[in-house]
Amino acid sequence: MTRSIELGTTDEFVARHIGPREDDIAHMLERLGYDSLDALSASVIPESIKGTSVLDLPAGLGEAEALAAIKAIAARNQQFTSHIGQGYYPCHTPSPILRNLLENPAWYTAYTPYQPEISQGRLEALLNFQTLISDLSGLPVANASLLDEATAAAEAMTFCKRLAKNKASNAFFASRHCHPQTLAVLRTRAEPLGIEVVVGDENALDDAARYFGALLQYPTSEGEIGDYRALIEGFHAAGALVAVAADLLALTLLTPPGELYADVALGSAQRFGVPLGFGGPHAAYFATRDSFKRDMPGRLVGLSIDRHGKPALRLAMQTREQHIRREKATSNICTAQVLLANIASMYAVYHGPQGLTRIARRMHRLTAILAEGLAALGLPAEQRHFFDTLTLASGARTATLHQRARAQRINLREIDDTRLGLSLDETTTQAQVEALWALFADAGQALPDFASLAARASDRLPAELQRQSAFLTHPVFNRYHSETELMRYLRRLADKDLALDRSMIPLGSCTMKLNAASEMIPITWSDFGNLHPFAPAEQSQGYRQLTDELEAMLCACTGYDAVSLQPNAGSQGEYAGLLAIRAYHHSRGDAARDICLIPASAHGTNPATASMAGMRVVVTACDARGNVDIDDLRAKAEEHKERLAALMITYPSTHGVFEEGIREICAIVHDNGGQVYIDGANMNAMVGLCAPGKFGGDVSHLNLHKTFCIPHGGGGPGVGPIGVKSHLAPFLPGHAAMERQDGAVCAAPFGSASILPITWMYIRMMGGAGLKRASQLAILNANYIARRLEEHYPVLYTGGNGLVAHECILDLRPLKDSSGISVDDVAKRLIDFGFHAPTMSFPVAGTLMIEPTESESRAELDRFIDAMIRIREEIRAVEQGELDKQDNPLKNAPHTAAELVGDWHHPYSREQAVYPVASLLEGKYWPPVGRVDNVYGDRNLVCACPPIEAYQDA
Ligand SMILES: *Cc1c(COP(=O)(O)O)cnc(C)c1O
């Protein structure tokens, strides 16, 4: 007799994603007084919203099965040779950068470097990026990346508006030779702000005085290289500022925008080693004059000193600018593109100035030879001067030529019915140039001979715009040109930092959970990497399936009816969501609705976004328990009922609590004609338990880089899709490459498409049951920490049942009064214990917000809790006078190895300083610098690589 054997998978993912084992879960539940996860979550989720989530998703796949399934999807994409250009170019990602940076968790699992002492490695890489941008653009100050070229251009437009002398103007000139996707995003951004974007030909401009600013493209989207000096001087004379969107690689050969008197240079760093990825993620850059640096959008890395007087890097000035300036912030950008900026900066470190120049020269030579051959075939390029891009007047043959190209797996740019475009790149070969000639030749026409044309073709860069100034002279760009050297440089930088590969990062609101290897593997497959975002739709069927399925899965997770994957960060999702609300009101003839209610506890991006969307922010109060003050909200909603556009509310609240009144709050807003925007950054507490689309939300963004496992990358990339109820679906962002064409919020139709496989893999491997379990564990872990720490530090807010959601706020203000020890001191002391600090002073000053996530094991939770208890004992010793009020391990934290071996003159021991718990003897993280001086850094702003002597002198 045979017996059937139950053959389950042996690589079930859920238990890999979730940290605690079964017996840990039982123990933790017991500690909280519950007998099951369901009983705990039933107690946490308010009655009124219980059961709103029905996760209609298939069961989870094993890791191997899921990888096979996504491989099949990827195989449906077709990799053609792309000559489309238009801001996106194939390039080589150097293998040591691919393996040691892009595929290395030490780099991709890091958080934004707000804690500079544990971030010196990635801060150095970003400073290299800023130096690269500043050198190539010829402008002294560059930021540490923006989201994409088109949004950088939109930021430049509002930047010009703030700073231009011509205050009377509301018109912005944009050259019609800019990339079309840039013009589209400019239009979206301008409309709610009342800015008029005038698209015109800069060569026929006779009304410069009409504008506060202008955007030019260099070289133009079609490939021409013009001398903008006179034009820019004309704008300046009229009180306008000028931004130049420039190709970074071309700037190795061309006079940089700064030397053409541009006020801003911006663009994409994609072709510095970052795959096309169907449009993103890529780092954008933004550089400007020194006098404008305090108005720059995005983040800026600056040099400061640590408490020993040694040079140390940190984020300068606008660190968390939105949290301070709220609706007056210069920009709403929070998550940017740090990982991609670091790839680009390492590409420059690896190639150096000569290597980059060689790449650019070779590309230009090939283009010149190509043009020469095309001319011989009777198809002269329209451009007199060009770098890597040609436009051909292909006339009646255009459609046929595209067809012929596609038959040979080549994509050309479709400019219009009678013209087509061609761009070459780092990967172009002689054979590909010859293939292009063959394509354009008529039957029987003799093909040009490469060798003889190569001997004859001359450069086609304008003589007066040849770059004269040196760039990348700093040693960092001239030292790591062998693979061994680069590998070790990357390792040395990574070793300076704390990322998730070393310890828990308990950042409230930021959800630093596992970024699983199986989720990450597909993103570097060429079937996802080598697609141009504007390639014909039939070539991206794999992406189509991926995005369709992901949209459906995210609808299931949120209870919404439709999803847009286009926004490339949470902030951009907020923006797209408010624009949808605005368009909805307008479509109903309700154009006066422009008031946005925002609770005082909101994340800073909320008010910053509302003002970008042309709304007026009205702040509503919170009560003593941290909940939205419903009476105040009702009063304000009624007061403004004629003009109420929206409420932006975070759920569970930024105070880490499931507010009981959420349904009532949504109803009040709806009753007064407003729409409800639920900020979904805290979705990690809700998936499978309750659904914002079912309890009153009209629209939410999700941060796929929080709840849905895309790594933080040290401050980006991110994806911030929005889900909407059906009445808002017609107002989701469109794109020239999509059915709905207007309202693009970023350059590519699917934003950061190439990292969407991460979330697809996560959801497919977890399945509905696994996702629900993850939320339950996130809640369990947070409550376990809160319960174990509450006798040592008061937990600021809890729900009616004494429970928190997926994070908890510890109130350190009483300790400040009794001991002088601040949240800063505790955060820095945690570094000595090998931990990244929790979120500091958000949403309440003087507190720490801890979010462990479901991925942390009980052992790691206990290690963290023990560190916090130990720190409390140290604080008590200060309170009781056993430790000096100033010279104590908390105030002096973190302690460096150099300090330890130097003259030790503190009243506490070296052991207490660096080995406060015995387990550290086995594995110790050594911060490379002591506590960084913030004030010094802002007073003495240095934002490019300092001369090497600065380090030697110190
Ligand atoms: C992280 C966060 C945001 C902003 O998201 P980004 O992806 O960083 O732009 C907005 N709201 C809340 C509550 C957040 O935690």
Side-chain angles (χ1 to χ4, degrees):
M1 222 172 66
T2 56
R3 210 181 260 201
S4 77
I5 305 168
E6 197 56 67
L7 287 174
T9 65
T10 52
D11 64 352
E12 189 247 7
F13 178 68
V14 180
R16 304 288 188 198
H17 175 78
I18 286 173
R21 305 294 90 191
E22 287 300 336
D23 50 341
D24 298 323
I25 294 172
H27 167 91
M28 290 156 73
L29 281 168
E30 194 185 316
R31 182 97 195 207
L32 294 168
Y34 289 87
D35 58 13
S36 70
L37 285 170
D38 284 340
L40 174 67
S41 48
S43 191
V44 171
I45 308 286
E47 208 53 53
S48 65
I49 63 172
K50 221 168 259 174
T52 48
S53 176
V54 192
L55 267 185
D56 189 11
L57 291 171
L61 297 176
E63 296 193 38
E65 257 179 318
L67 280 167
I70 200 162
K71 185 117 219 162
I73 292 176
R76 299 186 60 204
N77 289 328
Q78 298 180 52
Q79 299 181 49
F80 280 31
T81 302
S82 173
H83 294 300
I84 300 174
Q86 205 180 323
Y88 302 91
Y89 309 88
C91 60
H92 295 302
T93 310
S95 293
I97 295 177
L98 176 73
R99 174 157 293 212
N100 303 316
L101 198 166
L102 178 55
E103 296 179 341
N104 181 350
W107 285 92
Y108 67 71
T109 69
Y111 181 63
T112 311
Y114 292 128
Q115 295 288 335
E117 296 84 0
I118 52 98
S119 313
Q120 291 295 304
R122 54 195 189 272
L123 283 165
E124 180 169 328
L126 285 175
L127 191 75
N128 294 346
F129 179 77
Q130 292 177 182
T131 307
L132 163 71
I133 300 305
S134 169
D135 276 17
L136 284 180
S137 69
L139 283 162
V141 195
N143 72 11
S145 82
L146 291 178
L147 293 164
D148 64 20
E149 177 165 337
T151 51
E155 295 289 341
M157 175 175 71
T158 50
F159 181 88
C160 292
K161 183 87 181 88
R162 286 196 298 279
L163 296 170
K165 293 204 193 79
N166 185 351
K167 297 286 173 207
S169 165
N170 251 342
F172 185 72
F173 177 83
S175 162
R176 67 185 186 84
H177 304 296
C178 292
H179 293 317
Q181 67 273 19
T182 301
L183 296 176
V185 171
L186 280 184
R187 287 192 188 97
T188 306
R189 280 284 186 97
E191 195 271 331
L193 300 175
I195 293 173
E196 182 194 359
V197 175
V198 178
V199 177
D201 191 338
E202 65 273 17
N203 303 311
L205 187 90
D206 53 9
D207 55 353
R210 209 183 132 194
Y211 304 103
F212 67 79
L215 177 70
L216 306 169
Q217 187 104 34
Y218 180 68
T220 68
S221 190
E222 299 85 14
E224 186 65 63
I225 303 169
D227 188 342
Y228 294 140
R229 274 173 279 218
L231 188 65
I232 292 175
E233 282 185 312
F235 277 114
H236 284 170
L241 298 180
V242 181
V244 172
D247 182 296
L248 216 43
L249 204 49
L251 297 184
T252 61
L253 306 181
L254 295 177
T255 306
E259 293 173 25
L260 304 176
Y261 322 126
D263 304 286
V264 175
L266 62 92
S268 168
Q270 179 264 319
R271 69 193 320 183
F272 277 47
V274 183
L276 294 169
F278 201 45
H282 310 135
Y285 73 86
F286 190 106
T288 189
R289 301 173 180 283
D290 193 66
S291 51
F292 295 153
K293 65 189 173 208
R294 286 175 201 272
D295 280 275
M296 186 141 69
R299 298 199 184 86
L300 193 62
V301 174
L303 189 68
S304 186
I305 52 172
D306 74 357
R307 52 183 283 273
H308 310 295
K310 276 185 42 175
L313 299 169
R314 60 181 280 277
L315 291 179
M317 301 183 309
Q318 319 92 318
T319 300
R320 304 236 121 177
E321 187 220 28
Q322 298 102 17
H323 281 316
I324 299 157
R325 293 210 270 194
R326 314 290 289 185
E327 65 270 19
K328 295 191 185 62
T330 48
S331 148
N332 73 338
I333 293 175
C334 180
T335 291
Q337 302 280 21
V338 170
L339 192 69
L340 298 310
N342 285 343
I343 293 173
S345 91
M346 287 304 165
Y347 181 92
V349 163
Y350 197 36
H351 287 300
Q354 285 87 16
L356 293 178
T357 307
R358 202 163 56 233
I359 291 168
R361 279 240 165 265
R362 177 181 178 279
M363 228 152 82
H364 177 63
R365 284 293 297 157
L366 279 173
T367 314
I369 295 165
L370 171 67
E372 201 72 29
L374 289 172
L377 291 169
L379 267 172
E382 282 185 1
Q383 287 72 28
R384 214 155 60 87
H385 297 117
F386 53 78
F387 169 55
D388 64 351
T389 296
L390 309 173
T391 303
L392 306 178
S394 41
R397 296 171 67 203
T398 308
T400 319
L401 285 169
H402 282 300
Q403 258 171 23
R404 255 159 68 181
R406 263 165 231 166
Q408 294 178 44
R409 300 181 71 82
I410 294 172
N411 287 326
L412 310 172
R413 177 168 171 193
E414 301 178 47
I415 297 182
D416 54 38
D417 290 346
T418 59
R419 294 189 317 154
L420 55 78
L422 277 170
S423 291
L424 303 192
D425 56 72
E426 183 189 1
T427 69
T428 308
T429 59
Q430 175 181 337
Q432 285 171 349
V433 169
E434 288 167 340
L436 287 170
W437 287 331
L439 192 72
F440 287 101
D442 287 325
Q445 208 175 4
L447 291 182
D449 174 53
F450 191 93
S452 60
L453 284 191
R456 210 171 71 210
S458 54
D459 278 6
R460 300 288 291 274
L461 304 171
E464 72 280 11
L465 288 171
Q466 307 259 0
R467 181 162 189 140
Q468 306 297 331
S469 48
F471 55 92
L472 304 185
T473 54
H474 191 275
V476 79
F477 297 104
N478 295 282
R479 187 173 279 179
Y480 307 112
H481 295 175
S482 77
E483 180 164 335
T484 304
E485 284 291 325
L486 182 75
M487 172 178 71
R488 289 181 189 151
Y489 181 51
L490 286 167
R491 173 65 192 254
R492 198 157 69 241
L493 293 187
D495 277 352
K496 292 183 176 187
D497 289 8
L498 265 190
L500 272 175
D501 65 332
R502 283 194 204 247
S503 69
M504 164 175 173
I505 301 187
L507 282 159
S509 212
C510 298
T511 314
M512 298 293 290
K513 67 203 275 183
L514 172 72
N515 318 117
S518 287
E519 293 155 5
M520 294 297 292
I521 280 173
I523 67 162
T524 48
W525 289 345
S526 65
D527 279 338
F528 286 125
N530 284 352
L531 263 73
H532 192 286
F534 308 141
E538 67 268 16
Q539 293 167 25
S540 54
Q541 291 304 304
Y543 266 114
R544 185 72 208 209
Q545 182 182 347
L546 182 89
T547 54
D548 283 351
E549 290 182 10
L550 188 55
E551 286 172 16
M553 295 193 287
L554 293 176
C555 282
C557 291
T558 55
Y560 285 111
D561 303 316
V563 162
S564 165
L565 296 168
Q566 190 180 103
N568 48 14
S571 61
Q572 306 305 295
E574 291 175 23
Y575 181 62
L578 289 192
L579 287 187
I581 289 175
R582 187 169 184 275
Y584 170 74
H585 288 314
H586 283 229
S587 75
R588 291 154 45 96
D590 241 354
R593 296 197 171 273
D594 66 347
I595 300 267
C596 187
L597 301 178
I598 300 183
S601 61
H603 194 269
T605 52
N606 291 185
T609 303
S611 65
M612 278 172 65
M615 295 187 185
R616 280 203 296 138
V617 174
V618 172
V619 178
T620 74
C622 291
D623 67 17
R625 299 236 339 255
N627 295 332
V628 168
D629 180 335
I630 296 187
D631 291 335
D632 185 56
L633 179 93
R634 183 182 290 109
K636 286 181 173 144
E638 286 172 1
E639 180 192 338
H640 297 290
K641 74 192 246 189
E642 302 303 325
R643 299 190 59 177
L644 184 62
L647 163 75
M648 288 185 99
I649 184 171
T650 305
Y651 201 78
S653 72
T654 50
H655 289 154
V657 175
F658 281 101
E659 293 184 34
E660 306 272 346
I662 184 67
R663 262 198 201 266
E664 189 186 350
I665 289 168
C666 295
I668 291 169
V669 172
H670 287 143
D671 289 347
N672 288 287
Q675 293 278 293
V676 177
Y677 186 102
I678 296 182
D679 180 326
N682 287 343
M683 194 71 205
N684 208 43
M686 296 200 283
V687 182
L689 299 176
C690 56
K694 299 283 187 211
F695 61 69
D698 298 294
V699 44
S700 293
H701 78 261
L702 304 172
N703 304 69
L704 298 192
H705 48 296
K706 294 178 182 173
T707 311
F708 292 95
C709 297
I710 290 177
H712 263 68
V719 180
I722 53 173
V724 293
K725 298 299 282 180
S726 56
H727 65 282
L728 293 181
F731 309 108
L732 287 172
H735 194 283
M738 295 166 81
E739 215 165 291
R740 186 187 169 214
Q741 307 228 322
D742 54 340
V745 295
C746 74
F750 290 95
S752 293
S754 70
I755 52 176
L756 295 175
I758 300 168
T759 297
W760 188 97
M761 284 291 287
Y762 173 62
I763 298 178
R764 285 302 282 120
M765 293 193 294
M766 294 295 278
L771 288 174
K772 176 176 169 193
R773 193 173 167 81
S775 303
Q776 290 181 314
L777 261 295
I779 291 171
L780 176 67
N781 278 357
N783 277 286
Y784 176 71
I785 289 185
R787 185 59 52 92
R788 277 204 61 199
L789 284 179
E790 70 190 351
E791 59 182 283
H792 307 279
Y793 303 88
V795 173
L796 190 56
Y797 301 118
T798 56
N801 39 37
L803 296 168
V804 298
H806 65 311
E807 57 195 7
C808 62
I809 299 179
L810 303 184
D811 191 357
L812 274 70
R813 291 170 297 188
L815 299 179
K816 175 89 204 238
D817 297 337
S818 62
S819 66
I821 299 299
S822 67
V823 267
D824 254 304
D825 299 328
V826 173
K828 303 306 178 194
R829 183 63 174 146
L830 275 168
I831 298 172
D832 285 332
F833 286 80
F835 284 106
H836 191 292
T839 297
M840 281 162 48
S841 292
F842 171 76
V844 183
T847 65
L848 290 176
M849 179 157 60
I850 299 167
E851 178 181 0
T853 83
E854 70 278 12
S855 299
E856 296 303 334
S857 67
R858 184 178 151 210
E860 184 70 355
L861 299 180
D862 284 336
R863 201 168 72 84
F864 175 74
I865 291 164
D866 292 343
M868 288 296 291
I869 292 173
R870 197 51 190 265
I871 288 172
R872 180 66 187 90
E873 285 162 7
E874 290 180 349
I875 297 172
R876 194 164 293 117
V878 177
E879 286 169 338
Q880 294 171 350
E882 291 157 24
L883 281 174
D884 185 83
K885 272 215 165 333
Q886 284 310 318
D887 193 356
N888 61 55
L890 293 137
K891 288 275 175 214
N892 294 335
H895 297 83
T896 62
E899 183 178 11
L900 204 69
V901 297
D903 263 348
W904 188 259
H905 48 76
H906 301 299
Y908 55 94
S909 71
R910 290 175 162 99
E911 285 73 18
Q912 180 170 6
V914 301
Y915 292 124
V917 289
S919 59
L920 289 169
L921 286 163
E922 264 181 51
K924 169 77 184 168
Y925 165 75
W926 291 100
V929 296
R931 196 176 304 189
V932 176
D933 187 331
N934 289 325
V935 176
Y936 181 92
D938 278 353
R939 289 222 182 103
N940 308 277
L941 204 57
V942 177
C943 320
C945 294
I948 206 75
E949 306 82 60
Y951 289 93
Q952 283 157 356
D953 294 347

